[in-house]
Amino acid sequence: MMNYRARYIKTKETNKQHDRRQTNNDLCNGDANIFRDMSLFSQGKSKKVAIHPMDVQMAVFHYADSFLKQLMVTKLSQCQYALPLLVPDPFTQEIEFPLWTFRQINKSWKMKDVKNEIISKIQPVWKTETPMVSFFRFGSVSSSKSQLMNNLINEKHNTFFQRHCTGSSKTRLLMDGVVEIAWYCPSGKDTDQFNQCIAFCNLHGDAGDSEKQLQILAEMASVNVVILPRLDQKDKSAAQMQNLYKDRKPLICLFTEDESSVTEMRSGKYKIGLKERNQSEVSEELEQAINECLSFLSAESPSIFRLEDVSKHSGIRVDEKYDDGCRTGKEDAQTMMKLLKDKNVTEIKKSFLSCQGKLWHQWCIKNKELHRSQGNEIEMEIKQKLEMKKIREEQHVLDIGEFMKFFITEMNSQSPNEKIFFLKWLTILLDEHTSADLSALHYKYDEKWSEVLKLKENNERFEQQMAINLSNEQTELDKISEELQAATFGLEHILREIGQIYESCQSVNKNKEGLPCNFSSLPSLAAEMMISGFPQELMDGDAAHVPLVWVTAVLHELIQKLGDKRVFVLSVLGIQSSGKSTMLNAMFGLQFAVSAGRCTRGAFMQLVKVSEEIKIKEQLKFDFILVVDTEGLRALELSGRSRRHQDNELATFVVGLGNLTLINIFGENPSELQDILQIVVQAFMRMKKVRLNPSCMFVHQNVSEVTAGEKNMEGRRRLLQTLDEMTKLAAKDEVFDAECFNDVITFDIQKDVKYFAQLWEGSPPMAPPNPSYCENIQELKKTFFSHASKSYGLELTQLKRRINDLWEALLNERFVFSFKNALEIATYRKLETEYSKWSWSLRRTMLDIENKLYISIENETINTVPEIDLQENLNVKSEEVEKSMSEFFEKDKDKDILIQWKVSFYIKIKDLRENIVRETTKKLNEILQQREMKKRIDAQRTHHENDLLEKSKELAIKLKDKANDEKILKKEFDSFWKECVKKITAETPPIKDINVIKDMKQLLSNYESIPVEAWKNSRDIFFVQHYSDYIQKLRGVTGHAIRSAKLKFEVETQIKTLVSDIAQHADKTVMSYKISKTGYNKTYIQELADYIKARVAKYEQGSRNYVFKKEFYMDLVISICKRINKVITDQHRRFREANDPVLYFEQKSKEYYSIFQKYCQGATSAAIFGEIICQKLKEPIQKSVYKDTARDMTNDIQINCESLNGNRSKLEKHILKRLAEQEEFEKYITYFNYPRDHLKSFVRDEVIQYITDKFEASVRPKMKENIELLHQKIMEAAHRATTVVNTTSGDVQKWLDNFTQQLSDVLIFSVKELSGVSHEGVDDFNLLEDVISKLLGSVSSEIQHKFSTETFPVNLEEKDRPDEILIDHLCQCCWVQCPFCAATCTNTIENHSGDHSVPFHRVDGLTGSCYDETECLSADFCTNLVRTSKMFYTGQWFLCREYRKAGNVYAEWNITPDFSELPYWKWFVCRFQEDLENRFEKTFHTWDVISYEWSRYSKEQAIESLDEYI
């Protein structure tokens, strides 16, 4: 839509020179001369040359391509301006006839027939047959020809630009020789100047200079009108005038120098004088003369003008023939149209577009029935799905037909330019083909509708008869409506057919016979059309259904072609024929159909690219605007269907889809306003309930006196009042607490309500668009950009998911309950991933802090660990995390969604920080306590070490003369060493091996009177199939039967949870004993047994209706004992290796022999002391390096390991992938029953694999880096100690104190390590430093040499291993299991707020759950189960679709009722069917039926489904 006033914008000079020429500042100057000054100013002004507006128009026209020319001409026509008909080239003077530019223009008019009844017509101008009146002039004339024509056509509007128009100038470069055409269209009223549609042609310039144009006009005109000064035989135009006068065609001569009124000189020949005459009078005479001429022609021989006939004249260039793309497009489109020849319009779609007909509509009905059914039998649902599959197969075998074949072939073979021409031509020709029939059907519909209304208004006296008549008429009306629907045939229906071809092929996964390409390429075709600016159907208005598979595929292709761009979705809602499409076309220059009979059905989306200039100017954060235009609410065609329901469905769909929704209101009918507002308010209320927050604006169209501010204020007040009333009504329907519209959506009544002027300035069909309407459009765009600038819009992938979520929820009818907000879920998953990073950052920092403090505790440099000190140490990192959180919540593109979780996550991080500090404080204080216990062991060991050193020194002195005899030295040392170790062993008994299992057996035998033989019959409780076997009796239940399968399943789940909890507690307790530091004690087993016994007793005392058999306790204790046996044994082994004198000194003999040799060789005290220091440092260095490397690798794994670096959902996906790859049933059972244990096992495997794969590339380099860094720190400490001692004349003790102090937070190494070592003679500290430097390199090399994938984990304490650190981090999540299928909640945060959820549930039968009264395993997915009216028992019966009413864990789960069945679990059930049935000793319900569909999934497809859906 254009503002026609744009043509009158004046051009301004770009230079800054002043127009005024002031010769003297003194206004009272006596020398002032008016004649001289005026002459000067006149000369100055005469130098200016204004640009003629029509030159601007024609310059753009000459340089435009075919599409822009067509757009220009179409816009000129909308503005009721004349259009270029014949255009001479300004350089070659070749005349062009731009026929292509007229192809999109339609004209409508009303006229009276022979019965004096008004008939309406609408036709494309290129096809219209009308009389044509041509105007031209000879010579230079004083009167304006264009002004005379304007007075005839529309005296209030300058159809032709004339000399008195604003901006006009004498200089005109590009208009001479141009012929313009305009049509007069009558309105069927008595005030019409002409009673038929007439074409008026205007030849600009002197006709004598444009002979070809004159010839064409004179030949084709019904009436010729000539303007000239006077008639003179000597004029060069005399001969031409004579020929015109002799011609039989009527001629009207207008003389500018003649004062006479209209005179008929002879039949059909008129003369009218113009000089000094009233323009109105002249116009009346001219109008009268033209009407008489046309009447004369009608009686004699009618002269008809057809636009296309202009192309028959030789000597002119027709654009359609010379543009190859246009010509090819037309030929291809005509070839397609030939296939429709002689076909009844109402039968075309049925014949040529068979896939979108009856079968598609049946499929849609079946799909809605399937989603909305509440049947209890899975076979019924499967039967329904099979029927739908059969319909798809029937669709698939339908003949594609030559029409669709040709279209697809052409679209796949043409260049982008040719495609656009082809599509435009096809649209033009289809409109031409159907327009006449559609007009007739609309007229027929209107008549019948009027009759129905009259019958409804009739007196009730004949109520019964009237009811019969009304029913008959209504049936007839419905029939006409169906014919209208069948006759409407456009490009959108062809695209709909392609969509159905694709969906049917995709359903059966094979190509359609006769399809000229692979079906997988069809979405690409539609995506290219969207990019080119063509609308794409989003909702099929005829079937009232979204072709989800097709739409999703098209958007996927769009993403492939454009990238995952951000789009802002603008939706529009309003009453039918309220100007929605017109408004959108005006706002964005779109192509939504607006012609009569072509109202939007369903919903269409069109892509609008946002230029970089606008993005910067308006501060927009998206790349495209996606405009969604909708079928009008309260459409009359829907009278035979559930209009209200479909309106609600459509409104909910587009409101949910839109970032902003425009609600378009037309006129001021209170009932219509109330009706649409109730629908809209309900839609927004549903969005509020599912936490979608779109914006809205109201556009009130066709409002008179739009400048009356008071009226607008009153209108806003009434609108808000109505919205508040509708909110209260909708709140009752939706069970929602809202008192006013602002409770539902953020809405500014002042800014978000726009009043629009009437579209037309005057009465159609000759009225131009109202400039005020165009200004209103600009104001609306301004407000729109204001809203849009605050939004990030949606990524195309998010849009794709949103469409799926909305439609799936609408299919299930219970929208709020069924809606799965994929964008919100994805955003929350993203937040979980960030939370994982934040929490890991805090944990990693605390690990470093803990390590330093641990070293200080071991070195006895600190004796307390206040909690406040740890908090202060963590402050810097906490501030970094808070800053990162703040940036994430404030700057992320989805910040509007994230805001709802901001407070709770800040609290979670605060709690996490406090927990980390608390746990670390507790851990370090335990180490402090254990340090005192270790002191004795360490002191004893140090005493022995130092004693050995002194004795070996004494022996060395005795053997000094044998220093060069290696054999004697070795023999003597070995003998000495053996005696010493023997003596030490006698004083300190060796630490024995332990047998945890034996200790537990003895304990149970002595205290629980359980015979040892019972061990042979015990079962591993972690692999028991039926925990109910352990139940001794059921309280309140007859016999031993459990009332329902569901109740039995609950009992199994409860016991399994008890076992899992006890096992987790046992694991934590064993780790807390620190056996590797303090050794094993049999009391540990006693404590565990007592704890297990107490937990089981407490469980039985709860509100249970059963108790356990004795075997339960025995099996549980024994199973847990076996479970913890390896950990205890490994830790005790580490303790024994560190503290058993025999083992310890066996390991140290080599080091002591080296020192012994040095003594024998007479090495200095400093050299020997240096070697002793290095030997003492060896173990601390190794521990430190291993520990640091482990922490580094943990961080590396947490960041780079694909399976471990995200949120819980991602981790779950990788666990399932690994299980499928391994295909081991028992591992699946562990995963089902003990998900935490399985996760730990998975993490351990992943860490081992990662370290193995990255060992040489990453692990070893990190280890080398750490050891070099430590080496550097040790040598720096040695150098500083040497410097201090040398400068202060200190002794060796001072050197040692200084050296160890510097390393006190780096290594577990203190002065006490050397307390018994003799320092005598150590006075060369530079030598000491050199010795340490030399030997430290050897120590480092030895540690590096021994470092391998085998030694790395073995030499780490349990708590320092990367897998254990990550397990501790990753297990801080939710472990609550679904009460139906036992799927574990995938929330990354333990004790999270909100409901538990999983991306996809499992088949219920995987946990042994079976149907009541049967022995059949359930084959339901939870999401499907909660749609139904099946029942489950938990002490009382509940409907599955009302599962939350069961309370407890049921009320805490959010299970969306839909058909989201993960193919992975279907594959699993088929793959392990026998294993499952053997394990649970039951068969799957209706296996033959479900296996037909489920068995088609391969393992590869199952794994792929995890990537697609999770």
Side-chain angles (χ1 to χ4, degrees), residues 515-531:
L515 187 64
C517 64
N518 191 288
F519 77 90
S520 61
S521 68
L522 295 177
S524 177
L525 182 152
E528 287 171 5
M529 287 180 64
M530 274 193 79
I531 294 169

Side-chain angles (χ1 to χ4, degrees), residues 196-207:
Q196 59 183 318
C197 181
I198 302 173
F200 286 87
C201 289
N202 182 5
L203 172 57
H204 291 276
D206 190 336

Side-chain angles (χ1 to χ4, degrees), residues 240-293:
Q240 292 166 316
M241 283 299 300
Q242 183 63 31
N243 291 335
L244 289 169
Y245 193 71
K246 286 182 178 179
D247 191 19
R248 294 188 60 185
K249 286 185 181 177
L251 175 68
I252 301 173
C253 298
L254 306 178
F255 296 103
T256 58
E257 296 184 7
D258 193 328
E259 299 177 358
S260 62
S261 58
V262 61
T263 305
E264 186 174 13
M265 299 172 289
R266 59 168 56 197
S267 178
K269 312 296 179 184
Y270 294 85
K271 176 183 97 167
I272 301 176
L274 301 178
K275 187 176 181 181
E276 297 179 0
R277 295 197 61 200
N278 182 285
Q279 285 293 317
S280 179
E281 186 181 334
V282 171
S283 295
E284 286 180 11
E285 290 179 358
L286 184 57
E287 176 190 321
Q288 179 187 343
I290 291 172
N291 275 322
E292 288 177 2
C293 291

Side-chain angles (χ1 to χ4, degrees), residues 1384-1400:
T1384 307
C1385 174
T1386 52
N1387 199 301
T1388 307
I1389 304 164
E1390 197 170 15
N1391 302 319
H1392 59 89
S1393 57
D1395 291 333
H1396 301 294
S1397 64
V1398 291
F1400 280 86

